[in-house]
Amino acid sequence: MTNQHQKEQPPGRSWSPDPASALPLHRQISNYFMDKIRSGAWPPGMRLAPQRQLCRQLGVNRSTVVTALGELSALGLIEGRRGGGTRVADLRAAAAGGAVSYGDGTAASGDRAASYGNGMATSDNSAGTDIWPVQPAGSWNSYVEEGVHYPNLPTVQDINRLEYEQGLIRLGTGEPSPGLLPGEAMTRVLAELSRQTLPPLSYEEPLGSPGLRRAVSSELAKNGIQADPDSILITSGALQGLQLIAVGLLPRGSNILLEKPSYLYSIHAFQSAGVKFSGLPMDEHGLLTDRLAREARRTKAAMLYSIPSFHNPTGILMDARRRQKLMDVTGGLGLPILEDGAYQELWLDTPPPLPLKALDREGRVLHLGTLSKSASPGLRIGWIVGPEPVVRRLADIKMQTDYGASSLSQLAAARWLEGGYHEEHLQRLRARLRQRRDAALALLQRHFAGLAAWNVPAGGFYIWLALDKPVPLRTLFRTAHKARLLLNTGDLYDRGDSRHLRLSYVYASPAELETGLPILAGLIRKLQRPGS
Amino acid sequence: MTNQHQKEQPPGRSWSPDPASALPLHRQISNYFMDKIRSGAWPPGMRLAPQRQLCRQLGVNRSTVVTALGELSALGLIEGRRGGGTRVADLRAAAAGGAVSYGDGTAASGDRAASYGNGMATSDNSAGTDIWPVQPAGSWNSYVEEGVHYPNLPTVQDINRLEYEQGLIRLGTGEPSPGLLPGEAMTRVLAELSRQTLPPLSYEEPLGSPGLRRAVSSELAKNGIQADPDSILITSGALQGLQLIAVGLLPRGSNILLEKPSYLYSIHAFQSAGVKFSGLPMDEHGLLTDRLAREARRTKAAMLYSIPSFHNPTGILMDARRRQKLMDVTGGLGLPILEDGAYQELWLDTPPPLPLKALDREGRVLHLGTLSKSASPGLRIGWIVGPEPVVRRLADIKMQTDYGASSLSQLAAARWLEGGYHEEHLQRLRARLRQRRDAALALLQRHFAGLAAWNVPAGGFYIWLALDKPVPLRTLFRTAHKARLLLNTGDLYDRGDSRHLRLSYVYASPAELETGLPILAGLIRKLQRPGS
């Protein structure tokens, strides 16, 4: 087994000139850039990173970068633009005045003619980050900025990128650290599968492989959900489930009710589909139901989204009584529910109350589950449970989107569940998460007393840190990044928030938390100081 | 290894009453239906299949079905509706007049209040098919009909479903038959992977696993495409690549030029994103370039989509000269190209000319590739090659959509390519496809001479059968289905078409073609007869 699948050397950052080479450093750099430009990988109009940043990334001093850029400029491959930094030159555009620009002076449809001088809307996406050349490209300029799908929130983009940066302590990452994943048990699953000739890896049925659906059906029964395989759609993770529901069941302009804060605010699946949110407050027992009916009527809500067990980002567990109340109130309205059960099996003290789907006799609840939070995110296996006509409609869209989840992953996931690997892994994982949670709570007690309040999660991944005083969260994110901490700030889960952080004890190790949390406390204190 | 992953017993069709049981057949049926209704899997308002269809699917006679339905009706679980068939009863709706209907008499947003009496727009989706209860459900009624994403074309939905029906000869399926897939070699790949402990299956980087991108980069180099791993985005099959480009790069209202007919007409990725098509004619050397510039200007085209090698559905191979011409004409316009290279490695006689991407020095071509047509569709591994800023934008959307392709599939695909399994498999596959193609051509000669014309494909999967006289293709599809043939009719690839069929020699065996093609010829003759 090679190490080629490790994240530590993303190729985007891997290249730097070789000091041992006979070729001078500046020439190595100009050759490398030349290849990128001549191959079209760096297309006309693409802005290069600022010199300071290039120095840092290439591990060379300023004069080397200046010499290399000078060579490229002399060859006419790059050019400086007033206020626009250094860009890959576009000879044709210089002559013709634009990329896709038709003879009659009109631009390509969607008003997308590339005009290189304009201020590019995405430029602030990279503020505060230190990535490789990020600016949109010449003839692709407007294309990269257009498209129906919104780009991720800048903070989310930053996080997605920075998660691959070495040496950062990731205080809020909602993913088990590699050490918590069952590498050895998963290897046994593969070995078991390879003992006899594999079935051909064809496309699966629209709903997913029958074997995996049967295994998921048995798994759901343990949580009180009676769902036969016809009611189960296999998805590429729970996120894809949300995506399918957003584009498949809700017309543009629909409203959905949800907890505020919520994981759903941090992703774009629903917003990109033109769906609006209406947030409802929570207490320590979960979503408050008293305003629910009024809000549903006011917004003509089409659906309620809830994470009743170990809510993301607050960690709150909705109790049995609140669950029943929620079913009653929404039942009176005939309001469908989307129950996100991503964390329900990750209880740490005692099993949670029955899922909402187990209380549903009308087929009013869609239930999402996943193997990403426990078995392995990289399997990309999740499921949607719901009425047959609904899952069939979603399956049709899934077929249009990607022809279904990986058959190999489905095969491995079925074996994982049926072979008892899952149950065994969960038991071990719970014990380790319990230790990690307790260690995190002890550290909070030591470093955040008098600075913030927090919940004691009974399961899942998260502690929702409520600062006593607000801080500018984007600034905190940036200063934390300089101090080598990666944060999930509260504004990801509630746009207007300025006093929460989502902490997680599943990615950063107890030792990392021991290093990182006091640094974080110091940064917060500094930002809260008057006049800072 | 169990057989649980075989397609032959999709659970949706698998249940039927057990004649050996002590319980009468009708009681077994009413019990089964009762479970479905009480669990909400068949929600209020869902229409059951017609009695005739139920008889066929359950393998019982009419009186048994009538008795079972009578029992359910007596329990108040189902009800007959004037003109609406038999539906699952909705007690609440009967009392309150609708599902999500708010007190002020208004409906849920998006005008979606469920009113069970209305004619359901999707009902014609099932015309001519014999599936399990398909009608949308009561409180989910409007949800299933709404949503941003279009449902698949009825014919495509039918095909997706019927592909799992036993005993059909699939004359047009664009997927290698299970027997052509490398079950044994893939098993060796898994065994190799399981020899040492697997790396943790975490999420991969946004662009995909570095190891697989390196392997794809080497593979592309064999075809003359210089692309380093930073220019490659791993997708869940080429279809997802199209999907990402549709929502990520093109604003609503954009136009793209493409060959007519084209595979792209048969999927909804672009139409659902509000992108319009403008088709250009082809000759035996590929897309005709003479009208291209005028059409690009007229429609203000944002992109050209082309399948230069072994075009789907026509099988046409664009020659080197036409490729260069295409690059020149689009270069003058600055028009980006989306090159679909799904079939390029599947040449049968001699390797095809260089891909368009290999001729691209401006970063103007996005190139799609996939392992689905050769190695295994079920791996769900494809790639997009393009300028770095473009693939990064697409990677960001991919992260929002499903957090990347299966890590397990990526691991297996990298080993598959690097270990030389792919090259070895391709050589064997080409030899087998050559035999199959020649057998198919001989059968056409025997049964379709004087009835149709066809091309001799130099690679890929398809023969484009051009009937001498037009036929009503929907009718042909239905009568063929009754004769146990599944067809890919030309209207899938060109809405206005009434005289083509896409035949494929990769799914149906030579023996099946020998049975199916004469039957097809007979059906066509019958439909062409005057007054038929």
Side-chain angles (χ1 to χ4, degrees):
Chain A
M1 184 63 48
T2 69
N3 272 337
Q4 69 194 33
H5 297 283
Q6 290 186 344
K7 286 175 173 179
E8 285 68 23
Q9 283 222 349
R13 308 174 163 279
S14 58
W15 189 84
S16 55
D18 175 10
S21 158
L23 215 58
L25 294 176
H26 65 84
R27 183 59 50 82
Q28 291 182 54
I29 294 171
S30 58
N31 284 349
Y32 178 79
F33 281 31
M34 209 181 299
D35 281 352
K36 289 281 190 183
I37 294 167
R38 292 215 166 124
S39 70
W42 293 1
M46 190 182 91
R47 187 149 70 181
L48 301 187
Q51 294 186 4
R52 211 182 35 234
Q53 190 177 326
L54 289 175
C55 294
R56 190 169 62 235
Q57 292 185 340
L58 298 167
V60 298
N61 60 36
R62 188 88 170 234
S63 67
T64 305
V65 165
V66 169
T67 309
L69 294 179
E71 289 173 351
L72 294 164
S73 181
L75 290 166
L77 292 173
I78 61 170
E79 52 194 8
R81 290 282 179 129
R82 207 178 29 200
T86 303
R87 290 167 188 271
V88 175
D90 183 4
L91 301 173
R92 200 197 52 247
V100 196
S101 125
Y102 292 107
D104 56 356
T106 59
S109 52
D111 199 18
R112 54 165 50 273
S115 102
Y116 301 113
N118 65 358
M120 278 179 275
T122 56
S123 59
D124 68 340
N125 278 5
S126 64
T129 69
D130 64 349
I131 50 170
W132 205 248
V134 290
Q135 305 310 327
S139 51
W140 289 103
N141 225 347
S142 49
Y143 290 72
V144 172
E145 291 171 21
E146 305 266 357
V148 175
H149 214 288
Y150 298 164
N152 257 319
L153 294 175
T155 308
V156 175
Q157 286 195 33
D158 290 350
I159 290 177
N160 281 345
R161 229 163 4 225
L162 297 176
E163 282 183 343
Y164 299 93
E165 195 172 306
Q166 277 188 330
L168 284 186
I169 298 180
R170 295 161 58 171
L171 291 176
T173 297
E175 164 193 345
S177 75
L180 290 174
L181 295 178
E184 194 263 329
M186 204 55 82
T187 310
R188 276 188 285 143
V189 167
L190 284 207
E192 222 189 288
L193 290 175
S194 64
R195 218 159 282 153
Q196 282 177 269
T197 302
L198 283 179
L201 300 177
S202 305
Y203 296 110
E204 299 288 347
E205 294 179 37
L207 288 177
S209 98
L212 178 54
R213 284 185 285 138
R214 277 194 294 269
V216 168
S217 173
S218 309
E219 207 56 32
L220 289 165
K222 295 183 196 163
N223 293 314
I225 296 174
Q226 302 303 326
D228 75 17
D230 292 351
S231 301
I232 298 171
L233 167 66
I234 302 300
T235 58
S236 300
L239 178 65
Q240 192 189 43
L242 292 172
Q243 191 76 28
L244 293 173
I245 290 164
V247 301
L249 298 181
L250 299 168
R252 297 191 84 82
S254 299
N255 265 287
I256 65 176
L257 304 181
L258 73 177
E259 287 119 358
K260 186 172 182 167
S262 174
Y263 164 66
L264 223 52
Y265 284 100
S266 72
I267 61 171
H268 268 169
F270 286 83
Q271 290 102 318
S272 280
V275 174
K276 286 172 280 177
F277 291 160
S278 177
L280 292 167
M282 309 172 75
D283 66 10
E284 72 271 28
H285 304 297
L287 181 75
L288 286 165
T289 51
D290 47 0
R291 276 171 42 192
L292 201 160
R294 199 176 56 209
E295 197 63 10
R297 285 199 190 90
R298 191 185 67 77
T299 62
K300 295 175 183 154
M303 192 178 271
L304 168 75
Y305 170 84
S306 177
I307 313 173
S309 292
F310 319 122
H311 178 259
N312 180 3
T314 66
I316 289 171
L317 174 65
M318 191 185 292
D319 64 22
R321 197 168 163 160
R322 187 68 58 82
R323 289 176 195 230
Q324 191 54 59
K325 179 82 181 156
L326 192 68
M327 289 303 291
D328 293 345
V329 173
T330 54
L333 296 162
L335 184 68
I337 295 177
L338 175 53
E339 175 181 41
D340 189 336
Y343 301 93
Q344 81 190 10
E345 58 187 0
L346 289 161
W347 52 268
L348 298 181
D349 302 321
T350 51
L354 286 181
L356 300 174
K357 184 67 192 163
L359 309 175
D360 175 30
R361 289 290 166 273
E362 307 160 87
R364 199 160 44 79
V365 178
L366 295 181
H367 179 88
L368 295 184
T370 178
L371 289 180
S372 297
K373 302 299 175 185
S374 51
S376 284
L379 279 180
R380 310 307 308 119
I381 293 293
W383 48 85
I384 301 175
V385 184
E388 293 180 19
V390 177
V391 298
R392 263 201 303 267
R393 159 75 169 139
L394 298 173
D396 177 53
I397 300 172
K398 179 150 177 59
M399 290 301 275
Q400 294 183 57
T401 306
D402 64 5
Y403 285 131
S406 157
S407 305
L408 185 56
S409 276
Q410 294 191 60
L411 208 52
R415 200 81 284 280
W416 174 258
L417 293 172
E418 282 166 353
Y421 295 98
H422 188 57
E423 199 47 53
E424 193 188 315
H425 172 63
L426 272 181
Q427 285 177 22
R428 205 169 325 153
L429 182 63
R430 284 191 196 111
R432 295 178 67 186
L433 291 185
R434 222 174 281 135
Q435 286 179 345
R436 282 168 163 255
R437 174 196 60 179
D438 296 344
L441 290 169
L443 286 165
L444 287 176
Q445 197 56 51
R446 195 170 340 141
H447 301 292
F448 283 80
L451 191 61
W454 56 88
N455 58 315
V456 174
F461 288 1
Y462 307 115
I463 297 172
W464 188 235
L465 194 69
L467 305 177
D468 291 343
K469 283 185 284 184
V471 295
L473 290 176
R474 270 303 274 176
T475 312
L476 180 62
F477 180 87
R478 281 181 213 157
T479 55
H481 176 230
K482 282 191 194 120
R484 316 307 292 146
L485 304 177
L486 186 59
L487 301 182
N488 286 53
T489 47
D491 53 343
L492 290 175
Y493 312 101
D494 174 1
R495 292 286 177 277
D497 184 72
S498 61
R499 54 196 311 159
H500 291 89
L501 292 172
R502 184 183 86 173
L503 298 180
S504 164
Y505 40 85
V506 298
Y507 198 90
S509 66
E512 287 179 313
L513 291 180
E514 194 157 351
T515 307
L517 287 178
I519 299 174
L520 176 63
L523 294 174
I524 291 168
R525 278 206 182 86
K526 212 169 148 192
L527 281 173
Q528 284 178 341
R529 213 168 291 151
S532 72
Chain B
M1 181 63 48
T2 67
N3 273 338
Q4 68 194 34
H5 296 284
Q6 289 186 342
K7 286 176 175 179
E8 284 67 24
Q9 283 223 349
R13 307 174 165 280
S14 59
W15 190 84
S16 56
D18 176 9
S21 160
L23 216 58
L25 294 176
H26 66 82
R27 182 58 51 83
Q28 292 182 53
I29 294 171
S30 59
N31 284 349
Y32 178 78
F33 281 31
M34 209 182 297
D35 281 351
K36 290 281 189 183
I37 293 168
R38 291 215 167 125
S39 71
W42 292 0
M46 191 183 91
R47 188 149 69 183
L48 301 187
Q51 294 185 5
R52 210 181 39 233
Q53 189 177 326
L54 290 175
C55 294
R56 191 169 62 236
Q57 293 184 342
L58 297 167
V60 297
N61 60 35
R62 188 87 170 233
S63 67
T64 306
V65 165
V66 169
T67 310
L69 295 179
E71 289 173 352
L72 294 163
S73 182
L75 290 166
L77 292 173
I78 60 170
E79 52 193 10
R81 290 285 179 128
R82 205 178 31 198
T86 304
R87 290 167 188 271
V88 175
D90 183 5
L91 300 174
R92 200 196 52 246
V100 196
S101 126
Y102 292 106
D104 57 354
T106 61
S109 51
D111 199 17
R112 53 162 57 274
S115 102
Y116 301 110
N118 64 356
M120 279 183 273
T122 57
S123 58
D124 68 340
N125 279 1
S126 63
T129 69
D130 63 348
I131 51 171
W132 206 248
V134 291
Q135 305 310 328
S139 51
W140 288 102
N141 226 347
S142 50
Y143 290 73
V144 172
E145 291 169 22
E146 305 265 356
V148 175
H149 214 289
Y150 297 164
N152 256 320
L153 295 175
T155 309
V156 174
Q157 286 194 34
D158 289 350
I159 290 177
N160 282 344
R161 229 164 4 225
L162 297 176
E163 282 183 345
Y164 299 93
E165 196 173 305
Q166 277 189 330
L168 283 186
I169 297 180
R170 295 161 57 173
L171 291 177
T173 297
E175 166 193 345
S177 75
L180 291 174
L181 295 177
E184 193 265 328
M186 203 56 82
T187 309
R188 277 188 286 141
V189 167
L190 282 207
E192 223 190 287
L193 289 176
S194 63
R195 217 159 282 151
Q196 281 177 268
T197 303
L198 284 179
L201 300 176
S202 305
Y203 296 110
E204 299 288 346
E205 294 181 35
L207 288 177
S209 100
L212 178 55
R213 284 184 286 136
R214 277 195 295 271
V216 169
S217 172
S218 308
E219 206 58 31
L220 289 165
K222 295 182 196 163
N223 293 314
I225 296 175
Q226 301 303 326
D228 74 19
D230 293 351
S231 302
I232 298 170
L233 167 66
I234 303 299
T235 58
S236 301
L239 178 65
Q240 191 188 42
L242 294 172
Q243 190 75 27
L244 292 172
I245 290 164
V247 301
L249 297 181
L250 299 168
R252 297 190 85 79
S254 299
N255 265 287
I256 66 176
L257 304 181
L258 73 175
E259 287 119 358
K260 187 172 181 167
S262 174
Y263 164 64
L264 223 51
Y265 285 99
S266 73
I267 62 172
H268 267 169
F270 285 84
Q271 290 102 316
S272 280
V275 174
K276 285 171 281 178
F277 292 160
S278 177
L280 292 167
M282 310 172 74
D283 66 10
E284 72 272 28
H285 304 298
L287 181 75
L288 285 166
T289 51
D290 48 358
R291 277 170 42 190
L292 201 160
R294 200 175 55 209
E295 195 63 11
R297 285 201 189 87
R298 190 185 69 76
T299 61
K300 296 177 185 156
M303 194 177 269
L304 168 75
Y305 171 84
S306 177
I307 312 174
S309 293
F310 318 121
H311 179 259
N312 180 0
T314 66
I316 289 172
L317 174 66
M318 192 185 291
D319 65 22
R321 198 168 163 161
R322 186 69 56 83
R323 288 175 196 230
Q324 192 53 60
K325 179 82 181 158
L326 191 68
M327 289 303 290
D328 294 344
V329 173
T330 54
L333 297 163
L335 183 68
I337 296 177
L338 174 52
E339 176 181 39
D340 189 336
Y343 301 92
Q344 79 189 12
E345 57 187 0
L346 289 161
W347 50 268
L348 298 181
D349 302 319
T350 53
L354 287 180
L356 301 174
K357 183 68 191 163
L359 310 175
D360 175 31
R361 289 291 166 271
E362 307 161 88
R364 200 159 45 77
V365 178
L366 294 183
H367 178 88
L368 296 185
T370 178
L371 289 180
S372 298
K373 301 299 174 183
S374 51
S376 284
L379 279 179
R380 308 308 308 120
I381 293 294
W383 47 84
I384 301 174
V385 184
E388 293 181 19
V390 177
V391 297
R392 265 203 301 269
R393 158 75 169 140
L394 298 174
D396 176 53
I397 300 171
K398 178 148 177 60
M399 290 300 275
Q400 294 182 57
T401 306
D402 64 6
Y403 285 131
S406 157
S407 305
L408 185 56
S409 276
Q410 294 191 61
L411 208 53
R415 200 81 283 281
W416 174 258
L417 292 172
E418 283 167 352
Y421 296 97
H422 188 58
E423 200 47 51
E424 193 186 315
H425 172 64
L426 273 180
Q427 285 178 23
R428 207 168 324 152
L429 183 62
R430 284 191 195 111
R432 295 178 67 187
L433 290 184
R434 221 173 281 134
Q435 286 178 346
R436 282 168 162 254
R437 174 197 59 180
D438 297 344
L441 290 169
L443 286 166
L444 286 175
Q445 197 57 50
R446 196 172 335 143
H447 300 291
F448 283 80
L451 191 62
W454 56 90
N455 59 314
V456 175
F461 288 1
Y462 308 113
I463 297 172
W464 188 233
L465 193 69
L467 306 177
D468 291 344
K469 282 185 283 181
V471 295
L473 289 175
R474 272 303 272 175
T475 311
L476 180 61
F477 180 87
R478 283 182 212 155
T479 54
H481 177 231
K482 281 191 195 119
R484 315 307 292 147
L485 304 178
L486 186 59
L487 300 183
N488 286 55
T489 47
D491 53 343
L492 289 176
Y493 312 101
D494 174 1
R495 293 284 177 277
D497 185 72
S498 61
R499 54 198 307 161
H500 291 89
L501 292 173
R502 184 183 86 174
L503 297 180
S504 164
Y505 40 85
V506 298
Y507 198 91
S509 66
E512 287 179 313
L513 291 180
E514 196 156 351
T515 308
L517 287 177
I519 298 174
L520 176 63
L523 294 174
I524 291 169
R525 277 205 183 85
K526 209 168 149 193
L527 281 172
Q528 284 178 341
R529 213 168 290 152
S532 74

